Amino acid sequence: MSVELDFPEFPYEEPPHGITCWQKPWNGVLVRVDRIPFRAGDELTFHVTVCSDSYGQTPAATIQGVVSITADTTTVDYIIPGDGVLDAVPEGSITVFYTLPPPTAASQRSRRAP
């Protein structure tokens, strides 16, 4: 069965397309992937690039964060760290994508087991 992946969201951005001091980005910025049937044992890798311009053309910091799914869920959250990532620029843009490797044959068999 194939699963269509959705775009990651910044659930607390305000105004739209903005992350301001109201969200306290120095404490990290929440990114959420929602409405996808994740299974226990899945591993999501978030790929984050912080740029010093609003068009995403001048990278200032990059990071990868892995989230291991411990129980079946439809929502996965990741906090982009403030220290060493978001604090690389006083203002700019954040680009996030994620990858979810396909399940192995062994994990597919175990998912079908009663």
Side-chain angles (χ1 to χ4, degrees), residues 50-53 58-61 85-93:
V50 175
C51 295
S52 60
D53 65 307
T58 311
V85 181
L86 297 173
D87 63 1
V89 296
E91 62 180 67
S93 61

Side-chain angles (χ1 to χ4, degrees), residues 8 11-12 15 21 26 31 36 43-45 50 53 58 67-68 77 79-80 83 85 87 92 95 106-107 114:
Y12 298 117
C21 288
W26 50 86
V31 177
I36 298 174
E43 283 195 343
L44 234 66
T45 302
V50 175
D53 65 307
T58 311
V67 176
S68 298
D77 290 343
I79 304 288
I80 301 170
D83 290 340
V85 181
D87 63 1
T95 303
S107 68

Side-chain angles (χ1 to χ4, degrees), residues 10-92:
F10 295 97
Y12 298 117
E13 65 181 340
E14 190 175 307
H17 306 293
I19 296 171
T20 66
C21 288
W22 290 105
Q23 288 88 35
K24 300 180 182 175
W26 50 86
N27 292 332
V29 170
L30 177 67
V31 177
R32 177 171 288 157
V33 178
D34 207 6
R35 300 174 303 276
I36 298 174
F38 297 108
R39 301 282 192 165
D42 285 345
E43 283 195 343
L44 234 66
T45 302
F46 286 86
H47 308 267
V48 179
T49 302
V50 175
C51 295
S52 60
D53 65 307
S54 59
Y55 300 104
Q57 300 297 314
T58 311
T62 61
I63 189 171
Q64 289 184 352
V66 177
V67 176
S68 298
I69 311 300
T70 58
D72 292 358
T73 185
T74 59
T75 302
V76 175
D77 290 343
Y78 174 70
I79 304 288
I80 301 170
D83 290 340
V85 181
L86 297 173
D87 63 1
V89 296
E91 62 180 67

